[in-house]
Amino acid sequence: MELGLVGKTAIVTGGASHIGRRIALDLASEGAAVVIADVDDKQSHRVCDEAKENGWKVEPIRCDVTSVESVEGMIKKTLDGFGQVDILVNNAGWTADRLFVEKPRHEWEKEININLWGPINCIRAVVDHMIERRYGKIISVDSDAGRSGEVREVVYGAAKAGAIGLTKGLAKELGRFNINVNAVSPSLTLPDSQDEVGELSLWHESSSQAKVFGDPGVRERIAKAYPLRRIGNANDVSPMVVFLASDLASFITGQTISVNGGYII
């Protein structure tokens, strides 16, 4: 099935690790030129080398999504190098696994800055270009924590809920410019191996993901809460993002699509 991605340019924030890595590689395999916008230089280059071994075009541009200057610089470098931005995937995210009353304020601020201000910064930096070209696909990787609320992820869930609202409002504002704005909302999603994640990834030793990854017994107990009886991985999430980035999804906008094994129905 032809997705219409050949010749397109995509930016994937947080594209060096885990879900972002898989999205970047899958978009590139469909013929898109992909920019990995990430703060983890080492892991970004590792993914780019992996892509180039397959003949795919993936380039790293260092970017901190919480910094307007960094984001604007990344967009400028992308336009200078590729001439256009067709697809923006807001994938960068971060959380710390702690009860609300135990979490220090600087972690709340980091969760809000990365998970909500990050997408706002990136969309604002690229949207004028998309409006001018009358074309664009904006996809945010959110979380079912933003749809249902989760213990130990209270502010993270609030930020993701905000990002879902951002998707809905922007879809209404930007539809007349032929810009589709959607979100993909995973549940707990684990890497298959440590090679998928970098040293600076949200998937760190204090995260719930890391704890589950390191304990087969915990994984088995958690999987029983899912109708499909397993926990998701990046290969489950990426195809939905790639589909929404394609021309096959030209009549889909303002939607938040859960990829969650039935955890929330």
Side-chain angles (χ1 to χ4, degrees), residues 35-248:
V35 168
I36 291 179
D38 205 299
V39 294
D40 190 339
D41 296 327
K42 182 178 180 180
Q43 183 71 5
S44 293
H45 283 91
R46 187 180 300 162
V47 177
C48 290
D49 290 343
E50 182 179 355
K52 288 173 182 177
E53 288 175 3
N54 290 283
W56 305 332
K57 191 170 186 178
V58 179
E59 300 292 340
I61 298 179
R62 183 176 177 81
C63 179
D64 174 1
V65 297
T66 70
S67 164
V68 172
E69 293 78 12
S70 181
V71 169
E72 290 177 346
M74 179 270 294
I75 296 296
K76 183 178 186 304
K77 288 178 183 177
T78 302
L79 292 174
D80 289 345
F82 297 93
Q84 64 193 52
V85 177
D86 303 285
I87 300 157
L88 170 65
V89 180
N90 292 306
N91 170 78
W94 186 87
T95 185
D97 183 46
R98 253 184 277 277
L99 291 172
F100 178 80
V101 296
E102 297 175 354
K103 187 173 289 191
R105 178 167 292 275
H106 71 85
E107 289 187 351
W108 294 343
E109 292 172 349
K110 185 172 181 178
E111 287 174 323
I112 293 170
N113 286 338
I114 293 176
N115 297 297
L116 182 54
W117 274 112
I120 291 172
N121 291 339
C122 292
I123 293 167
R124 186 64 193 92
V126 78
V127 73
D128 289 341
H129 169 75
M130 290 182 170
I131 289 172
E132 182 180 353
R133 295 182 63 233
R134 295 296 194 272
Y135 184 89
K137 307 284 186 179
I138 299 171
I139 306 105
S140 294
V141 179
D142 290 322
S143 171
D144 274 357
R147 308 192 81 177
S148 67
E150 284 292 331
V151 174
R152 305 179 75 89
E153 294 183 342
V154 173
V155 175
Y156 170 77
K160 289 296 190 181
I164 290 170
L166 180 71
T167 292
K168 293 178 180 181
L170 281 171
K172 292 179 179 180
E173 284 197 15
L174 300 178
R176 62 196 175 105
F177 301 111
N178 192 36
I179 298 172
N180 301 77
V181 189
N182 291 290
V184 175
S185 182
S187 56
L188 176 62
T189 305
L190 296 180
D192 289 329
S193 73
Q194 186 64 42
D195 291 339
E196 288 188 22
V197 297
E199 297 174 0
L200 303 179
S201 171
L202 73 86
W203 193 84
H204 52 84
E205 64 180 11
S206 68
S207 71
S208 57
Q209 293 95 327
K211 293 174 183 177
V212 174
F213 181 78
D215 190 330
V218 173
R219 291 202 303 272
E220 184 177 346
R221 288 196 298 274
I222 291 175
K224 291 179 181 178
Y226 290 75
L228 293 181
R229 295 298 189 270
R230 69 176 178 86
I231 299 169
N233 58 42
N235 291 321
D236 296 311
V237 179
S238 179
M240 181 57 70
V241 176
V242 173
F243 169 70
L244 290 172
S246 77
D247 289 338
L248 294 180

